[in-house]
Amino acid sequence: MTESATRAPLGEAPSSASGAKAPLAAEEPRSARELSRHEFGTELSTLRQSRLFWVGVALKVVLALCFGSHFATRWFAPFAYEFVHSHFANPWDTFLARGEPMAFPYGPGMLLVVSVSWLPALVASFDPASFLGLFLLRIPLFAADLTICVLLMRWLRMNGRDAVIAYWLSPVVLYATYVHGQLDLIPTALLCVALFLIFTKRVTAAALVFGFALATKAHLLIATPFALVYLHRTCRPRREWLKFGIITAATALLLYAIPLSSHAFRSMVLGSAESRKVWLVSIPYGTSGLVLYVAPAAIVLAVLRFLSYRKVNRELSLMFIGAVYVGLVALVPPQPGWFIWSIPFIAYLGARFTRTGRFVLLALSASYLAYFFIGDPQVFLEAADPLLGAGFGQRTADALTLRYPGLLGAHAASISWTCLFSATSLTAIEMYRKGVRSNAIYDFRDESFMIGIGGDSGAGKHTIARDLTRLLETRLSVINGDDDHKWERGHVMWRRFTHLDPRGNLLNTQLESIAALRRGGDVRKRHYDHDAGRFTNPLVIKPNEFVAVVGLHPFYLPSQRELIHLKIFVDPKEELRRKWKVARDMAKRGYSEAQVIEQIEKRMADSVSYVRPQMKYADIVLRQGDTDPARPHHVDLELEMVSELEPLALYDALDMVSSLEVSWTPDEQLTRDKVTVRGDIDPEQIAALADSLLPDADELVHDVGWLTGGRGIAQLAIVYAIGVRLSRARTREIA
C-alpha cells in the first residue's frame, strides 16, 4: 500500500491547491486500523509460506475430527447442539435437570461463540458426539488459535518464526484443546485481542471485546486491573481507563442479564466446582479458624506490585498477566484447560527470550503432559474413544495401572505434580524478571528527556518536530524558540538586529524554561503567532516524558547545551532550504519571492555567525538532498552522528534493505560518523527496522506514526538515538 504522492520530503510540508502548507491532519499517515489490517495480511502471508504452520494445521484437523474426552463428547458438544437445535432455548435448565451440572460451566459469551459453528443443527439432526460434532466444536477453537498466533507474530515481529514454533505447535494447546476438548482457548484469544486494541489505544473497541470476553469465562477478571493500570499510565487523557472500565462492565452485565435469571445458570456457572477451586489451597492462621487463601493472596500481591510501577510498557503487561495465570495454576488443584490461559504469554517468552524462554516452555510442556497422564490416565486416554471405540480409554488405563502400579500410582502422581509445580513456578519467575527488565530499558529517572532541534530559518525544524510528535504522541511537549523573540514583527529594533542574532532573542528566558521543564515544573510562556507576527496570550507548557525545544538557537548557550540530552541540527542543501522558505513565506506570510530572497541574503551573515556554528554541538545532523515528488518513498539523506550513538548499528540495519544504497564514513578522530542513505523505503520497512534496532521499540513510539522516504529515515535515526541515550542512562544508573 503506497503513500500518497503529496507526501512531503524531509523539511517540506505537503502543499494544498493554493500552495499553502496543508494542516497537520493532512500529513497524518494511515490510520491504526488500516495499518493493522495491512500488517495482519503480512503475518498471514508469512504463515501461508511456513511449513511448520501447515504441519500444525494438518495435525490439528486430524485431532479435532477424531479425539475428545467426555468433556467434549458428553457435555460441551451436546450442550451447544441442544442450544441451537432447540432454537436457542435455555440449555442450562435442560442439562441440570438431566443431572449434568458440569455440562457447560461457562458464561453466555462462550455459548454464543461456540454456537456459531453449530448453526447446521437448526435444520438437521445428528449425533453431537460424532466426528462431525467434534469438528464443529473445534471450528471456533481453531479460529481462536489462529488469532492468538497472528497476534503473537504481530507483537514479536522479528521473532515471528519463533512464535510459530513456540505457540502454534505447543503440546499444551494440542492436548488441552484438540485432544481433551477444553474451550479455554476462546476467552484467551478474546483477551489477546482486547490487549492488542489496548496497546494500539483503541479503548472503546478494547472495552467491548474485553466485556464480551468476561462473559465467556470469569477468570479474565484477573486481567482487568492490569488493563486498567496500563491505560491509566499510558493514555491521554487519563480518564480513558475509566471509560474502559465502564464500557467493559456494561457489556459484560448486558450479556449476563438474561441468563442470570435462571437458577440452573447460577448453579452451573457461578456456583460450579471449578469456580470454588481458587479457595481450596489455604494456610491456617492461629487457632481462631482464620485462614490465608494462597491463590487470591498471590493475585492481589501481583496487582499491587504492577500498580507500584511509575510507568508500564506492553512487554511488562504481557509478562505480568502471563505470570499471574501460570502462577495461579500452581496454587490451585490443576485443570488441563487452565494452563491455556498462560500459554500465549509463555510462548511470547519463549520466542522473545529464546534461551531461558525455550527452556521453561519445554519444561512446562513436558511436566504438563506427564502429570495429566500419570495423574488420571483414564481421562487422558479416553480422548481416543471416538476413534477407537467407547471404553477404550478406561480399559487401557486399567490395564496400564495394573501392569505398572509404581508408574501410575498416587506417589508417582505426586512426583509428577511436584515437577509441574516447579516448572510453573520457574516460568512465573522468569516472566516477572524479563518483564521488569524490559520495563526499565527506557526509564529515565524522574526527569524529562530533553530534545533540541536547531537549524536555519526554513530548514524544516518544525517539520521534524511534528514528525517526532507522530511517534511520541502526547508524551512529547514542544517549546517553540520563536516565542522568545524580543519584539513583534515590524518593530523598529528589527532594523538593527535579525531574528538570527542572539541579541534579538530572550535566550536566558528560554534557558530557564528548559531547566524548569526538565525538573518537572510547569512553564508559562508567551506565544508568538507567526501568521500575525504578534505575541498572543501566554501558554502553560507542562512537562512530559519528552520535551523538545525547536528554534534557531537551542545550542547557543553552553548551559542550555548541558540540559539537552539529544541535540539535532537540520541542515538541508542550501538551494532546497531556500525553495522551502520561499514557498512557506509566500503562502503563510504574504511575502513576494523577491522579498523572501532579500531577507535570506540580509540574514546570511548572522546565519554564518550565530546559527550554523551550533552544528558542531549536535549529536545528529540531518542533511536532506534532492527530492522527487513523483517518488514518495524516495530517500536522499545524509546522517552525521556522534560515534557514541553507535551509528554503525544503524548503518548495518539500513544496509539490509535491498532498495537502499547505504554508505558509512567515520571521521579521522573517530568522533563523528556519516551515514548516507539513498533509494526507496516505505513505513512498514521502517517500522521493522525500528524493531530490529531497539528492544521494545513499541514502548518508545506509536507504530502507525512512521512516515515514508527521507522523513521516515530521519524519524528512525532520531528514535534510535533516543533509545541509545535512554538505555545508556539506565545502565549507568543501575551500575
Side-chain angles (χ1 to χ4, degrees):
M1 187 172 182
T2 59
E3 293 282 316
S4 168
T6 59
R7 181 79 70 201
L10 174 65
E12 186 175 13
S15 297
S16 64
S18 65
K21 269 190 181 180
L24 182 58
E27 298 177 357
E28 286 293 342
R30 287 169 296 173
S31 69
R33 191 180 306 277
E34 291 172 328
L35 185 56
S36 297
R37 188 187 300 121
H38 176 87
E39 290 182 342
F40 283 138
T42 301
E43 314 302 341
L44 291 171
S45 176
T46 301
L47 284 177
R48 285 196 297 268
Q49 300 172 28
S50 170
R51 292 183 180 179
L52 289 175
F53 171 73
W54 289 111
V55 168
V57 170
L59 180 60
K60 290 175 182 184
V61 168
V62 171
L63 295 176
L65 278 167
C66 303
F67 290 84
S69 70
H70 70 275
F71 287 87
T73 58
R74 198 175 87 192
W75 290 339
F76 301 157
F79 193 92
Y81 173 82
E82 175 69 21
F83 176 61
V84 177
H85 195 64
S86 64
H87 296 274
F88 311 110
N90 184 339
W92 284 283
D93 288 344
T94 302
F95 276 79
L96 186 62
R98 292 179 187 175
E100 299 281 8
M102 292 294 294
F104 202 79
Y106 301 105
M110 182 77 87
L111 182 59
L112 290 175
V113 174
V114 171
S115 298
V116 171
S117 60
W118 288 86
L119 291 179
L122 281 171
V123 295
S125 298
F126 53 88
D127 181 6
S130 65
F131 292 151
L132 173 61
L134 289 173
F135 185 73
L136 292 176
L137 183 68
R138 267 56 178 271
I139 289 176
L141 292 168
F142 183 84
D145 203 4
L146 181 61
T147 298
I148 294 172
C149 186
V150 171
L151 286 174
L152 283 173
M153 294 179 69
R154 172 67 183 85
W155 284 331
L156 289 160
R157 280 189 179 167
M158 303 305 294
N159 305 95
R161 185 177 182 275
D162 294 322
V164 176
I165 298 173
Y167 175 75
W168 190 246
L169 300 177
S170 166
V172 177
V173 174
L174 289 172
Y175 172 72
T177 303
Y178 298 98
V179 175
H180 191 272
Q182 293 295 321
L183 307 181
D184 294 77
L185 209 58
I186 291 172
T188 304
L190 289 170
L191 172 62
C192 290
V193 171
L195 290 174
F196 170 76
L197 294 170
I198 288 171
F199 297 149
T200 53
K201 305 300 187 294
R202 284 176 266 176
V203 177
T204 301
L208 291 171
V209 173
F210 200 91
F212 189 91
L214 286 175
T216 60
K217 195 163 183 178
H219 77 276
L220 294 182
L221 281 170
I222 296 170
T224 306
F226 298 99
L228 292 171
V229 171
Y230 179 88
L231 288 170
H232 183 264
R233 294 285 190 271
T234 61
C235 279
R236 301 293 186 277
R238 296 273 188 183
R239 62 179 177 273
E240 288 291 279
W241 70 272
L242 184 60
K243 180 175 79 171
F244 174 85
I246 292 173
I247 296 175
T248 295
T251 303
L253 290 174
L254 184 64
L255 289 166
Y256 272 106
I258 295 177
L260 273 176
S261 62
S262 165
H263 167 72
F265 174 82
R266 296 195 302 271
S267 175
M268 293 175 63
V269 178
L270 304 185
S272 67
E274 270 202 352
S275 64
R276 295 192 296 269
K277 287 182 178 180
V278 73
W279 309 102
L280 292 182
V281 178
S282 60
I283 300 174
Y285 248 53
T287 58
S288 62
L290 195 65
V291 298
L292 172 67
Y293 295 112
V294 178
I299 295 170
V300 172
L301 180 63
V303 171
L304 293 175
R305 182 68 183 106
F306 191 75
L307 187 62
S308 70
Y309 290 112
R310 182 176 60 88
K311 75 176 186 69
V312 296
N313 65 359
R314 184 183 72 189
E315 193 159 279
L316 178 72
S317 304
L318 292 174
M319 292 297 94
F320 247 85
I321 293 172
V324 169
Y325 279 136
V326 74
L328 178 64
V329 297
L331 299 175
V332 296
Q335 298 293 307
W338 288 23
F339 285 81
I340 290 290
W341 307 347
S342 60
I343 288 300
F345 308 101
I346 301 173
Y348 182 100
L349 177 75
R352 174 75 171 81
F353 307 99
T354 52
R355 180 178 297 179
T356 56
R358 287 180 180 176
F359 175 77
V360 298
L361 187 61
L362 179 62
L364 181 68
S365 299
S367 56
Y368 170 89
L369 294 176
Y371 170 74
F372 284 106
F373 174 70
I374 296 172
D376 197 344
Q378 179 180 333
V379 173
F380 192 95
L381 294 170
E382 76 170 6
D385 282 5
L387 181 65
L388 301 176
F392 166 81
Q394 182 173 354
R395 292 193 304 271
T396 307
D398 290 343
L400 290 173
T401 303
L402 185 63
R403 186 168 184 177
Y404 305 104
L407 178 62
L408 299 176
H411 182 61
S414 296
I415 292 175
S416 63
W417 166 240
T418 301
C419 294
L420 181 55
F421 176 87
S422 301
T424 54
S425 300
L426 174 63
T427 304
I429 292 170
E430 283 301 312
M431 296 179 84
Y432 171 78
R433 289 179 62 246
K434 300 301 185 185
V436 171
R437 184 177 301 173
S438 76
N439 193 53
I441 292 177
Y442 303 121
D443 189 8
F444 202 71
R445 310 180 191 89
D446 294 316
E447 63 184 15
S448 298
F449 185 90
M450 310 301 295
I451 303 168
I453 304 175
D456 209 339
S457 178
K461 304 180 295 295
H462 290 89
T463 298
I464 294 296
R466 288 195 297 271
D467 292 350
L468 194 55
T469 301
R470 289 189 177 92
L471 294 172
L472 300 176
E473 296 186 309
T474 56
R475 295 184 295 154
L476 176 68
S477 298
V478 178
I479 297 178
N480 190 344
D482 291 347
D483 293 342
D484 295 309
H485 291 333
K486 284 185 177 180
W487 311 288
E488 294 181 335
R489 187 179 302 157
H491 194 281
V492 65
M493 292 300 292
W494 289 126
R495 300 176 187 173
R496 180 179 175 188
F497 303 105
T498 74
H499 295 75
L500 279 62
D501 192 317
R503 291 169 291 181
N505 296 272
L506 300 171
L507 295 188
N508 284 325
T509 300
Q510 186 177 108
L511 172 64
E512 292 170 0
S513 299
I514 293 173
L517 287 167
R518 175 166 165 163
R519 293 192 303 267
D522 293 352
V523 170
R524 186 178 178 85
K525 283 179 61 65
R526 63 179 183 173
H527 173 62
Y528 182 71
D529 184 345
H530 255 300
D531 292 338
R534 297 288 182 267
F535 292 112
T536 63
N537 294 330
L539 300 175
V540 175
I541 301 176
K542 294 184 176 295
N544 222 319
E545 292 179 50
F546 301 93
V547 176
V549 54
V550 185
L552 297 165
H553 307 96
F555 321 134
Y556 190 85
L557 299 179
S559 51
Q560 185 159 307
R561 294 197 294 267
E562 293 176 1
L563 290 172
I564 297 174
H565 300 109
L566 182 67
K567 296 179 280 293
I568 304 162
F569 195 91
V570 188
D571 183 36
K573 293 176 65 173
E574 180 60 18
E575 57 268 30
L576 197 57
R577 182 185 75 87
R578 290 186 176 222
K579 173 184 172 183
W580 294 340
K581 182 170 174 60
V582 168
R584 183 195 68 184
D585 289 358
M586 289 177 63
K588 299 196 69 174
R589 301 175 190 176
Y591 294 164
S592 67
E593 182 176 356
Q595 287 176 310
V596 180
I597 296 297
E598 180 184 359
Q599 185 186 74
I600 291 173
E601 296 299 336
K602 179 183 176 181
R603 295 179 174 185
M604 184 56 66
D606 284 350
S607 174
V608 172
S609 298
Y610 307 123
V611 177
R612 296 189 63 79
Q614 298 176 62
M615 193 187 313
K616 64 177 176 288
Y617 299 112
D619 301 304
I620 302 175
V621 179
L622 302 173
R623 295 192 177 96
Q624 173 67 42
D626 295 329
T627 60
D628 184 357
R631 296 172 60 189
H633 298 311
H634 181 59
V635 183
D636 185 359
L637 183 66
E638 180 182 276
L639 302 165
E640 182 180 318
M641 305 176 70
V642 293
S643 299
E644 67 179 73
L645 292 176
E646 298 184 4
L648 190 57
L650 179 62
Y651 161 80
D652 288 337
L654 291 169
D655 195 45
M656 294 173 61
V657 181
S658 59
S659 59
L660 295 177
E661 294 181 6
V662 190
S663 64
W664 168 75
T665 308
D667 66 5
E668 294 182 357
Q669 291 77 33
L670 299 182
T671 58
R672 303 182 78 85
D673 298 9
K674 290 183 181 179
V675 178
T676 303
V677 189
R678 292 186 176 88
D680 295 271
I681 194 167
D682 62 34
E684 287 75 32
Q685 291 173 299
I686 294 173
L689 287 173
D691 285 333
S692 69
L693 281 166
L694 294 167
D696 304 314
D698 66 287
E699 181 186 348
L700 276 180
V701 299
H702 187 43
D703 278 351
V704 298
W706 294 109
L707 294 172
T708 191
R711 288 172 71 178
I713 295 295
Q715 286 177 309
L716 178 67
I718 295 170
V719 169
Y720 168 70
I722 292 173
V724 171
R725 283 279 160 86
L726 286 173
S727 58
R728 293 270 180 82
R730 179 62 181 170
T731 301
R732 288 194 296 270
E733 184 180 343
I734 294 174

Short mmCIF file of all heavy atoms in Angstrom, two decimals, residues 13-16 20-28 466 470:
data_model
loop_
_atom_site.label_atom_id
_atom_site.label_comp_id
_atom_site.label_asym_id
_atom_site.label_seq_id
_atom_site.Cartn_x
_atom_site.Cartn_y
_atom_site.Cartn_z
N ALA A 13 6.64 20.55 3.99
CA ALA A 13 5.28 20.11 4.26
C ALA A 13 4.51 19.98 2.97
O ALA A 13 4.81 20.64 1.99
CB ALA A 13 4.57 21.12 5.19
N PRO A 14 3.50 19.10 2.92
CA PRO A 14 2.69 18.99 1.72
C PRO A 14 1.97 20.30 1.45
O PRO A 14 1.66 21.04 2.36
CB PRO A 14 1.69 17.88 2.05
CG PRO A 14 2.14 17.28 3.30
CD PRO A 14 3.09 18.21 3.96
N SER A 15 1.67 20.56 0.21
CA SER A 15 1.01 21.81 -0.15
C SER A 15 -0.42 21.55 -0.56
O SER A 15 -0.76 20.52 -1.13
CB SER A 15 1.76 22.48 -1.32
OG SER A 15 3.07 22.80 -0.92
N SER A 16 -1.26 22.50 -0.25
CA SER A 16 -2.64 22.45 -0.72
C SER A 16 -2.70 23.01 -2.11
O SER A 16 -1.71 23.46 -2.68
CB SER A 16 -3.53 23.25 0.24
OG SER A 16 -3.16 24.61 0.19
N ALA A 20 -0.38 26.81 -0.03
CA ALA A 20 -0.07 26.95 1.38
C ALA A 20 0.17 25.59 2.01
O ALA A 20 -0.23 24.57 1.48
CB ALA A 20 -1.25 27.64 2.09
N LYS A 21 0.82 25.61 3.15
CA LYS A 21 1.05 24.35 3.86
C LYS A 21 -0.27 23.70 4.23
O LYS A 21 -1.18 24.36 4.70
CB LYS A 21 1.85 24.60 5.14
CG LYS A 21 3.34 24.51 4.95
CD LYS A 21 4.01 24.52 6.30
CE LYS A 21 5.52 24.46 6.18
NZ LYS A 21 6.18 24.48 7.46
N ALA A 22 -0.33 22.41 4.03
CA ALA A 22 -1.53 21.68 4.47
C ALA A 22 -1.52 21.61 5.97
O ALA A 22 -0.47 21.62 6.60
CB ALA A 22 -1.52 20.28 3.86
N PRO A 23 -2.69 21.55 6.61
CA PRO A 23 -2.72 21.38 8.05
C PRO A 23 -2.14 20.05 8.45
O PRO A 23 -2.02 19.14 7.64
CB PRO A 23 -4.24 21.44 8.38
CG PRO A 23 -4.91 21.07 7.10
CD PRO A 23 -4.01 21.59 6.02
N LEU A 24 -1.81 19.95 9.72
CA LEU A 24 -1.13 18.74 10.22
C LEU A 24 -1.93 17.49 9.92
O LEU A 24 -1.38 16.45 9.58
CB LEU A 24 -0.90 18.87 11.73
CG LEU A 24 -0.16 17.72 12.40
CD1 LEU A 24 1.20 17.52 11.77
CD2 LEU A 24 -0.04 17.97 13.89
N ALA A 25 -3.27 17.57 10.02
CA ALA A 25 -4.09 16.38 9.80
C ALA A 25 -3.90 15.81 8.40
O ALA A 25 -3.98 14.62 8.19
CB ALA A 25 -5.57 16.72 10.01
N ALA A 26 -3.61 16.68 7.45
CA ALA A 26 -3.43 16.20 6.08
C ALA A 26 -2.15 15.42 5.92
O ALA A 26 -1.96 14.71 4.96
CB ALA A 26 -3.44 17.38 5.11
N GLU A 27 -1.22 15.59 6.86
CA GLU A 27 0.06 14.90 6.77
C GLU A 27 0.06 13.59 7.53
O GLU A 27 1.05 12.88 7.55
CB GLU A 27 1.18 15.79 7.34
CG GLU A 27 1.35 17.09 6.57
CD GLU A 27 2.42 17.96 7.21
OE1 GLU A 27 2.95 17.56 8.26
OE2 GLU A 27 2.73 19.02 6.67
N GLU A 28 -1.08 13.27 8.19
CA GLU A 28 -1.10 12.08 9.02
C GLU A 28 -0.90 10.83 8.18
O GLU A 28 -1.44 10.72 7.07
CB GLU A 28 -2.44 11.97 9.76
CG GLU A 28 -2.57 12.96 10.90
CD GLU A 28 -1.62 12.67 12.03
OE1 GLU A 28 -1.10 11.54 12.11
OE2 GLU A 28 -1.38 13.58 12.84
N ARG A 466 7.14 17.88 14.25
CA ARG A 466 5.83 17.27 14.03
C ARG A 466 5.95 15.78 13.72
O ARG A 466 5.15 14.97 14.19
CB ARG A 466 5.11 17.99 12.87
CG ARG A 466 4.61 19.39 13.21
CD ARG A 466 3.61 19.87 12.17
NE ARG A 466 4.21 20.00 10.86
CZ ARG A 466 4.81 21.09 10.39
NH1 ARG A 466 4.92 22.16 11.17
NH2 ARG A 466 5.31 21.12 9.17
N ARG A 470 4.36 12.55 15.93
CA ARG A 470 3.56 11.43 15.43
C ARG A 470 3.95 10.13 16.13
O ARG A 470 3.13 9.23 16.29
CB ARG A 470 3.73 11.28 13.93
CG ARG A 470 3.06 12.38 13.13
CD ARG A 470 3.10 12.03 11.64
NE ARG A 470 2.40 13.04 10.88
CZ ARG A 470 2.98 14.12 10.33
NH1 ARG A 470 4.28 14.30 10.50
NH2 ARG A 470 2.28 14.99 9.65
#
